[in-house]
Amino acid sequence: VVATVWLLARHVAGPLIGLLAAAAAAVYPNLWLIDGLLYPEGLMTGLVVLCVYMAYRWRERPSWAAAAAIGALIALAALARGEGVLLGGLLAMPLMLRQRDLSWMRRWQHLVLAGVTCLVVLAPWVVRNTAKFEHFVPLSNNGNEVMVYANCATAYDGPLAGYWDFQCQQKVRNEIGEIPGDESEVALYWRDLGFDYAREHASELPRVVALRVLRQFELFRPLQNV
């Protein structure tokens, strides 16, 4: 990640800014804190930075190779964390469709190439999931479990209001044991449990959502994130 930050910042703003950005990345806790847990965020961060770097290269000199590289990097980022696929709509599409020195036909051709490359890189994992699981899992199902962490009594009220609480899931496990089924079935069980709680406490959602937005900008109980 430090190397990719250096590469991107140097390309955008010159050697000095590249070194300063790399130094900041080297000591920024959110970029190394999770590595010891073997979570994928560090890998995804590096891939996203490389994707942005390649986007700058494509904008300066549009080429088929750069378009394909952008698509491949978006796919790899999505394989690290599923939300990486959003780079297709948030980065590749506006980047390529707004390139005014290309004709509309050529813009679409580059965008389609990036999309096809992305799908080709994703295909083996998607095919594997389709063959293995009871329910369709395009990239990942871990987002389903977030629903039960974030929609339970302690995440709606008390010290963790507007946050999430991993113990919500563990309390259910302690009461009923492990959920039967494969990973896709278990993930849907946790998602439904979280959705049910949210529906039953719909009147509290505006307050909880407001607290979550405030937490996003460290304006509500910031010391909990320290």
Side-chain angles (χ1 to χ4, degrees), residues 35-176:
D35 286 350
L37 302 175
L38 298 182
Y39 279 10
E41 281 85 349
L43 175 60
M44 185 198 181
T45 302
L47 291 166
V48 169
V49 175
L50 275 178
C51 189
V52 175
Y53 169 73
M54 191 55 62
Y56 272 100
R57 294 289 299 270
W58 183 92
R59 189 177 69 173
E60 293 160 5
R61 180 179 290 183
S63 69
W64 302 114
I70 291 171
L73 287 167
I74 290 173
L76 292 173
L79 290 172
R81 279 192 64 94
E83 59 266 39
V85 75
L86 296 175
L87 289 168
L90 296 175
L91 176 65
M93 187 175 292
L95 170 75
M96 295 179 180
L97 293 183
R98 294 175 61 192
Q99 189 73 4
R100 295 184 177 179
D101 58 349
L102 294 179
S103 68
W104 275 105
M105 178 63 71
R106 188 56 61 90
R107 297 181 207 182
W108 278 105
Q109 288 173 340
H110 279 256
L111 183 60
V112 169
L113 175 60
V116 170
T117 306
C118 181
L119 291 175
V120 168
V121 175
L122 291 176
W125 181 247
V126 176
V127 171
R128 176 261 184 192
N129 288 347
T130 302
K132 180 176 177 61
F133 295 125
E134 181 70 22
H135 300 285
F136 180 56
V137 180
L139 290 172
S140 171
N141 57 25
N142 67 321
N144 290 320
E145 296 193 25
V146 174
M147 298 304 166
V148 74
Y149 303 151
N151 294 283
C152 59
T154 51
Y156 275 44
D157 195 21
L160 295 178
Y163 204 55
W164 59 75
D165 185 3
F166 294 114
Q167 293 305 312
C168 293
Q169 184 184 51
Q170 190 57 44
K171 289 175 183 176
V172 176
R173 283 202 181 103
N174 293 340
E175 292 175 2
I176 66 175

Side-chain angles (χ1 to χ4, degrees), residues 9-20:
R10 182 177 184 274
H11 184 81
V12 172
L16 176 60
I17 300 301
L19 290 174
L20 291 174

